Amino acid sequence: MNFRPCIDLHQGKVKQIVGETLNDHRPVIENFVSDQSSSYYAAMFKQDGLRGGHVIMLGGGNEAAAVAALQEYPGGLQIGGGITAENAVSYLEQGASHVVVTSYIFRDGELNMDHLHKIVSEVGKDRLVIDLSCKEKDGKWFVVTNQWKTFSQFEVNVENLQELQSYCDEFLIHAVDVEGKRTGIHRQLIEHLADCVSIPTTYAGGARSLEDLELFGKLGRGKLDITIGSALDIFGGTLPYRQVVNYCRGLRAEAGPAN
C-alpha cells in the first residue's frame, strides 16, 4: 500500500472541498483553502519521494497553478480535470507523468469508446489513468459523472474493469458517498475493488486516521493505494501528514524489495 498525495485546485487555489457540492446550484462547501501555492505542495511531495499523486483541476481557472505544480515535480504527479485528447499531450510536456480522464470518456451515461480510443492514440496506454467515481445503487457500483450527479450505465465489476484496464495504466477510484467528508473509508467499496482490480489502483474517500489506514490495508489486501486529502494537517485536518508518510514507508519496509 502506497500513499498517493493530492493537490486539488479550485479557482486557482489549493483547496479541499466536498466534491458533491461542486455544481452550479449551491455554494461549494470548502473544508480548507490554503495560503500556500500548488508548487509548495509539489516540492514537499518531491522531497518526500511520493510519486503517483494527482493534481486535479476542479473547474476552469486552474491551469497556471496546475502547470506550476507539474513543473516543480516533473514526472512525479498526474493531472486530471478537463483532460481531453486535444490537450492531454500538452500537460505531459509540462511534466505530468500521466493524464487522468473521466468525463471525457463518459458521455450521456455511456462509456464513449471513440473518445477512449482517441486519447489512447494521443498519449498511449502507459500514460493514461482512468478515474472511476463510484456510487452504490441497488447493491451494485456505478460510475457517476456530471460533477457526480448523473449515474452512468457503467457498472464497476470484474468484467468491465478487466476490459477497461487494457486501455490504461492505472485506475483512480473516488468513493463519492464519503469523499471530502472525513467520515471514514468506505469498507464495502474497498473490499469490492480488491476483488476486481489487477492493475495499480488508488482509492480516494473518507480516510481520517491511522486506524483507517490500517483497516484499509486489511480490506484492500495490499492491492490498493490510498490518497488522503482534507483529513491531513497540511490541508487543515488533524491527521499528521508526516505520520501518514512514515506509516506507509514502514509498510513498504516490512514488505521488502519488490520482485
Side-chain angles (χ1 to χ4, degrees):
M1 180 179 77
N2 295 308
F3 169 53
R4 304 280 198 112
C6 63
I7 302 173
D8 290 347
L9 300 172
H10 182 244
Q11 297 175 337
K13 295 184 177 181
V14 177
K15 296 184 183 181
Q16 286 292 317
I17 68 174
V18 178
E20 285 188 301
T21 67
L22 186 66
N23 60 53
D24 298 328
H25 306 295
R26 53 179 170 168
V28 170
I29 297 176
E30 297 177 341
N31 288 330
F32 174 76
V33 180
S34 180
D35 293 328
Q36 302 289 351
S37 68
S38 60
S39 57
Y40 167 88
Y41 290 99
M44 180 189 305
F45 303 150
K46 180 181 179 179
Q47 181 176 358
D48 288 327
L50 300 174
R51 302 184 64 85
H54 50 276
V55 179
I56 300 296
M57 299 180 289
L58 302 170
N62 295 301
E63 291 79 6
V67 169
L70 298 178
Q71 292 181 343
E72 180 66 36
Y73 190 9
L77 295 166
Q78 305 167 358
I79 182 139
I83 301 298
T84 68
E86 287 71 34
N87 65 18
V89 171
S90 66
Y91 286 109
L92 296 177
E93 291 173 345
Q94 296 285 356
S97 66
H98 296 69
V99 291
V100 182
V101 294
T102 177
S103 59
Y104 177 72
I105 63 171
F106 285 95
R107 297 281 175 157
D108 301 320
E110 300 287 347
L111 176 62
N112 188 315
M113 293 302 297
D114 287 341
H115 279 193
L116 181 56
H117 285 131
K118 188 174 182 181
I119 196 164
V120 171
S121 70
E122 289 293 325
V123 304
K125 170 183 180 294
D126 292 342
R127 302 194 75 178
L128 183 67
V129 177
I130 295 180
D131 179 349
L132 303 173
S133 298
C134 299
K135 282 181 72 73
E136 187 271 338
K137 183 172 68 173
D138 300 327
K140 299 178 180 180
W141 297 96
F142 292 89
V143 170
V144 288
T145 61
N146 187 27
Q147 297 173 339
W148 297 352
K149 299 190 295 292
T150 303
F151 275 94
S152 76
Q153 299 299 314
F154 188 90
E155 183 182 348
V156 178
N157 57 30
V158 173
E159 293 77 17
N160 285 342
L161 290 184
Q162 284 181 345
E163 179 181 0
L164 201 57
Q165 72 186 30
S166 64
Y167 296 95
C168 66
D169 195 41
E170 299 184 6
F171 292 129
L172 173 61
I173 311 288
H174 285 89
V176 171
D177 292 320
V178 297
E179 173 72 17
K181 298 178 182 178
R182 292 179 283 195
T183 54
I185 57 177
H186 204 306
R187 301 183 181 195
Q188 293 87 351
L189 177 58
I190 293 164
E191 290 178 313
H192 179 67
L193 292 174
D195 289 335
C196 292
V197 302
S198 55
I199 63 172
T201 299
T202 300
Y203 164 90
R208 59 187 174 177
S209 65
L210 292 183
E211 289 76 16
D212 276 342
L213 284 178
E214 183 178 2
L215 178 60
F216 176 84
K218 293 177 180 177
L219 297 176
R221 308 197 301 275
K223 298 176 67 176
L224 308 173
D225 293 339
I226 192 167
T227 189
I228 306 173
S230 58
L232 293 176
D233 58 355
I234 61 172
F235 295 131
T238 59
L239 177 59
Y241 162 81
R242 186 57 53 197
Q243 283 190 8
V244 172
V245 172
N246 291 338
Y247 178 84
C248 292
R249 280 178 176 163
L251 292 180
R252 292 200 300 275
E254 290 176 10
N259 294 326

